[in-house]
């Protein structure tokens, strides 16, 4: 229940307010003077303050000031005996929520109180949500003590405060989006929007109108003005995910934002200034795309001001134990089944040999699955999926799209080969000779395939 402070030097008014507001279910505290009101404000967390503008020789604005300082989320409503527009305006400028002239109707004050309390609820919730969100992207929630990740942390902290464009590269599931958010939520734009778009997930014309918005009548179905995502992210950060897949027409628009800080809505005639911090991510090799002329060279240089490369998980296996613990806590809390407090050493060993083609995301999924399936207090090898354990036999291999006619055979075979090689390596503790034997391959052929699929574990390449 919200308690309300009523400050007024007139006893009859205080009594009236107490009766009326208590009837509505509120708890009411009264103060006959400015001094008393300020004292109460410093000692209590009121949901709402109603104060007279003039109390004897003292000024109700002082009550307003005290409330703004001590209780920033608490709305303050000013009551005035004569509708003095001037003082009311001063009060509003200083942050009063509203004002009401005496004598007032019961319904009027009831409505103002109700609305003011509603507003307070919203602003408290908002603040709470913002802190919760910011916490989630604290650097402390990005896990990893490997040198590579530590360097990235330093870089993130340094660039977060600037507006410099960042290009994040790395295989799928390495944490590109997580780092993009960490940059935004640790910088001075954190109270403005973080908006993202996946350039590969939408047809070209839709992507364009989503990004830029359109004027009324820009095309047949544009029956009203629509703000684009870039405009709505103003003052915040804009995340271009899979930027390598952006069609050339979108690349031009992006270049314009980077160079001129402005956009033009579809069907529009004037440029609209935008203040955006651009973060882009890709898991393809942009410089190769530049060579193939499917990515603009000028855009590539504009984006690549601060490159951040996230190495694949198999190249930073020292991060695995901490990541496992982090995800165990996360999914224990989410599924609160049995409490799982660790992992068996031989299960962890599997983790350290498996090449994690899906990187951190795959590890996270494996842990979530194990948390759900495990019946013991520790994750055992038996709760891990088959592809990690290398127990599959040829007839257990799932062939994706076997029933489809338009399957890319080369690509599918390649994926199967990668899985089998990775698996054999894992079952042989990373020793190439042993793994080659398991697949009936020569050492050279095995080594070639390992390199082709980038499955090499750097610490073990000379056996
Ligand atoms: N260092 C890390 N610490 C904690 N969680 C991580 C870390 N890296 C990645 N994750 C988690 O792994 C999952 C995948 O990360 P994210 O979505 O950022 O990857 P991505 O590189 O954007 O992948 P994709 O290219 O497939 O979009 C997320 O749930 C993310 O929170
Ligand atoms: Mg992503």
């Amino acid at each position: 229940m919200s308690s309300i402070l009523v400050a007024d030097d007139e006893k009859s008014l205080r009594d009236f307010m107490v009766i009326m507001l208590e009837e509505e279910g509120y708890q009411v505290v009264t103060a006959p003077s400015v001094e008393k009101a300020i004292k109460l404000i410093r000692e209590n967390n009121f949901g709402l303050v109603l104060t007279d503008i003039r109390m004897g020789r003292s000024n109700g604005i002082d009550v307003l000031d005290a409330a703004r300082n001590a209780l920033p989320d608490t709305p303050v409503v000013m009551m005035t005996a004569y509708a003095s527009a001037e003082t009311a305006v001063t009060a509003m400028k200083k942050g009063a929520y509203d004002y009401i002239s005496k004598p007032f109707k019961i319904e009027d004050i009831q409505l103002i109180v109700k609305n003011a309390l509603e507003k307070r609820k919203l602003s408290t919730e908002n603040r709470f949500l913002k802190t919760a969100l910011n916490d989630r992207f604290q650097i402390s929630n990005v896990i990893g003590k490997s040198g590579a990740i530590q360097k990235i942390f330093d870089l993130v902290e340094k660039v977060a405060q600037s507006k410099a464009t960042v290009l994040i590269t790395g295989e799928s599931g390495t944490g590109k989006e997580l780092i993009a958010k960490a940059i935004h939520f640790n910088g001075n734009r954190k109270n403005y929007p973080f908006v993202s778009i996946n350039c590969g997930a939408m047809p070209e014309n839709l992507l364009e109108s989503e990004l830029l918005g359109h004027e009324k009548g820009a095309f047949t179905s544009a029956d009203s003005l629509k703000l684009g995502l870039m405009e709505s992210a103003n003052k915040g950060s804009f995340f271009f995910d899979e930027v390598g897949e952006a069609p050339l027409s979108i690349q031009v628009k992006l270049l314009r934002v980077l160079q001129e800080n402005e956009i033009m809505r579809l069907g529009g005639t004037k440029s609209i200034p935008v203040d955006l911090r651009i973060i882009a991510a890709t898991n393809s090799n942009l410089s190769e795309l530049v060579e193939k002329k499917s990515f603009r060279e000028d855009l590539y240089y504009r984006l690549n001001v601060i490159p951040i490369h996230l190495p694949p998980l198999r190249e930073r296996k020292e991060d695995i134990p901490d990541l496992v613990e982090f995800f165990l806590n996360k999914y224990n809390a989410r599924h609160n089944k049995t409490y799982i407090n660790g992992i068996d050493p031989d299960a962890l060993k599997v983790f350290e040999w498996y090449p994690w083609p899906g990187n951190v995301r795959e590890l996270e999924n494996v842990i979530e699955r194990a948390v759900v399936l495990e019946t013991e207090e520790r994750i055992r090898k038996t709760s891990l999926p088959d592809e990690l354990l290398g127990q599959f036999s040829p007839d257990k291999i799932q062939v994706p799209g076997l029933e489809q006619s338009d399957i890319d055979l080369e690509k599918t075979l390649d994926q199967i080969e990668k899985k089998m090689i990775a698996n054999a390596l894992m079952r042989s503790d990373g020793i190439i000779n042993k793994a080659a034997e398991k697949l009936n391959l020569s050492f050279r052929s095995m080594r070639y395939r390992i390199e082709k699929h980038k499955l090499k574990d750097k610490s073990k390449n000379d056996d």
Side-chain angles (χ1 to χ4, degrees), residues 257-392:
V257 177
L258 285 164
Q259 281 175 335
E260 329 276 348
N261 293 307
E262 59 185 34
I263 60 150
M264 201 185 299
R265 298 182 193 136
L266 297 186
T269 48
K270 61 176 200 306
S271 303
I272 298 158
V274 285
D275 169 17
L276 293 176
R277 198 265 165 86
I278 306 286
I279 306 174
T282 178
N283 54 28
S284 40
N285 184 335
L286 281 191
S287 55
E288 264 173 29
L289 296 182
V290 168
E291 255 160 55
K292 284 196 223 143
K293 304 261 183 270
S294 65
F295 202 84
R296 291 181 66 112
E297 189 171 20
D298 47 3
L299 178 58
Y300 173 60
Y301 288 116
R302 280 274 172 182
L303 288 176
N304 203 21
V305 181
I306 301 196
I308 295 185
H309 177 68
L310 286 165
L313 186 57
R314 63 183 168 278
E315 286 176 16
R316 47 180 163 113
K317 290 190 166 165
E318 61 270 45
D319 289 342
I320 290 178
D322 291 338
L323 282 165
V324 169
E325 194 188 320
F326 178 76
F327 292 135
L328 273 181
N329 287 333
K330 175 169 169 184
Y331 290 106
N332 268 326
R334 179 166 308 172
H335 296 294
N336 64 35
K337 240 188 63 196
T338 37
Y339 193 80
I340 299 177
N341 56 24
I343 176 163
D344 273 353
D346 52 339
L348 192 60
K349 199 153 183 239
V350 171
F351 282 8
E352 276 162 10
W353 282 116
Y354 183 66
W356 299 107
N359 293 294
V360 184
R361 181 181 294 113
E362 187 181 9
L363 174 64
E364 179 168 2
N365 291 341
V366 166
I367 300 288
E368 178 171 18
R369 178 182 183 275
V371 166
V372 172
L373 295 181
E374 187 55 82
T375 48
E376 304 282 311
E377 282 185 350
R378 300 175 73 73
I379 290 187
R380 294 161 303 162
K381 215 169 152 176
T382 48
S383 321
L384 302 181
D386 284 353
E387 67 256 37
L388 263 72
L389 293 173
Q391 285 166 348
F392 59 13

Side-chain angles (χ1 to χ4, degrees), residues 116-151:
L117 286 171
E118 187 63 24
K119 177 197 169 236
R120 169 182 150 103
K121 207 173 134 230
L122 284 177
S123 70
T124 319
E125 276 170 8
N126 237 325
R127 181 177 303 223
F128 172 75
L129 279 177
K130 273 193 184 141
T131 0
L133 213 65
N134 291 349
D135 276 0
R136 188 159 127 48
F137 298 109
Q138 275 313 306
I139 286 288
S140 56
N141 274 343
V142 184
I143 306 302
K145 56 173 179 246
S146 61
I149 292 295
Q150 288 297 323
K151 264 195 210 139

Side-chain angles (χ1 to χ4, degrees), residues 23-303:
E23 214 163 78
E24 294 278 295
Y26 304 111
Q27 207 179 321
V28 187
V29 177
T30 61
S33 68
V34 167
E35 295 70 35
K36 185 73 202 292
I38 292 176
K39 187 165 180 285
L40 285 167
I41 283 171
R42 295 202 176 125
E43 289 162 359
N44 297 276
N45 182 15
F46 294 110
L48 172 65
V49 173
L50 290 156
T51 178
D52 194 4
I53 283 195
R54 204 176 308 151
M55 284 180 254
R57 264 170 288 129
S58 308
N59 193 341
I61 299 283
D62 294 341
V63 177
L64 171 63
D65 287 338
R68 302 302 306 148
N69 280 328
L71 307 167
D73 284 333
T74 299
V76 179
V77 174
M78 313 302 292
M79 303 181 288
T80 75
Y82 3 74
S84 143
E86 223 168 294
T87 28
V89 167
T90 316
M92 298 299 279
K93 274 199 189 139
K94 291 194 130 192
Y97 168 74
D98 206 346
Y99 70 93
I100 184 164
S101 324
K102 291 193 252 181
F104 36 70
K105 289 200 215 97
I106 294 188
E107 302 90 76
D108 290 347
I109 191 80
Q110 279 171 343
L111 190 65
I112 284 190
V113 167
K114 189 167 153 276
N115 289 342
L117 286 171
E118 187 63 24
K119 177 197 169 236
R120 169 182 150 103
K121 207 173 134 230
L122 284 177
S123 70
T124 319
E125 276 170 8
N126 237 325
R127 181 177 303 223
F128 172 75
L129 279 177
K130 273 193 184 141
T131 0
L133 213 65
N134 291 349
D135 276 0
R136 188 159 127 48
F137 298 109
Q138 275 313 306
I139 286 288
S140 56
N141 274 343
V142 184
I143 306 302
K145 56 173 179 246
S146 61
I149 292 295
Q150 288 297 323
K151 264 195 210 139
I152 289 172
F153 287 170
D154 289 347
L155 202 54
V156 166
E157 269 170 9
K158 267 189 220 138
V159 302
Q161 304 303 328
S162 76
K163 203 193 160 186
T165 303
V166 179
L167 178 63
I168 307 173
T169 55
E171 289 178 9
S172 178
T174 45
K176 296 186 293 295
E177 185 166 349
L178 184 70
I179 292 295
K181 287 179 175 159
I183 292 173
H184 173 77
F185 286 103
N186 286 287
N188 44 19
R189 293 175 173 252
K190 63 168 178 245
N191 292 322
Y192 293 97
F194 174 92
V195 177
S196 60
I197 195 157
N198 184 327
C199 304
M202 246 183 249
E204 183 166 346
N205 51 357
L206 194 60
L207 188 61
E208 207 163 343
S209 95
E210 280 295 303
L211 278 174
L212 303 168
H214 57 71
E215 301 284 348
K216 186 176 173 175
F219 39 86
T220 354
S221 58
D223 44 13
S224 60
L225 178 137
K226 187 179 141 220
L227 282 195
L229 290 175
M230 290 211 259
E231 242 180 290
S232 71
N234 201 19
K235 295 196 168 146
S237 307
F238 203 95
F239 180 49
F240 281 89
D241 207 357
E242 310 295 354
V243 75
E245 291 180 36
L248 286 162
S249 66
I250 298 293
Q251 295 177 27
V252 180
K253 309 285 165 27
L254 178 50
L255 189 64
R256 175 156 185 197
V257 177
L258 285 164
Q259 281 175 335
E260 329 276 348
N261 293 307
E262 59 185 34
I263 60 150
M264 201 185 299
R265 298 182 193 136
L266 297 186
T269 48
K270 61 176 200 306
S271 303
I272 298 158
V274 285
D275 169 17
L276 293 176
R277 198 265 165 86
I278 306 286
I279 306 174
T282 178
N283 54 28
S284 40
N285 184 335
L286 281 191
S287 55
E288 264 173 29
L289 296 182
V290 168
E291 255 160 55
K292 284 196 223 143
K293 304 261 183 270
S294 65
F295 202 84
R296 291 181 66 112
E297 189 171 20
D298 47 3
L299 178 58
Y300 173 60
Y301 288 116
R302 280 274 172 182
L303 288 176

Side-chain angles (χ1 to χ4, degrees), residues 429-446:
D429 282 357
I431 298 166
I432 297 179
N433 261 333
K434 266 208 218 166
E437 229 167 77
K438 286 196 162 62
L439 295 178
N440 197 19
L441 291 173
S442 69
F443 175 78
R444 284 169 62 88
S445 158
M446 184 71 176

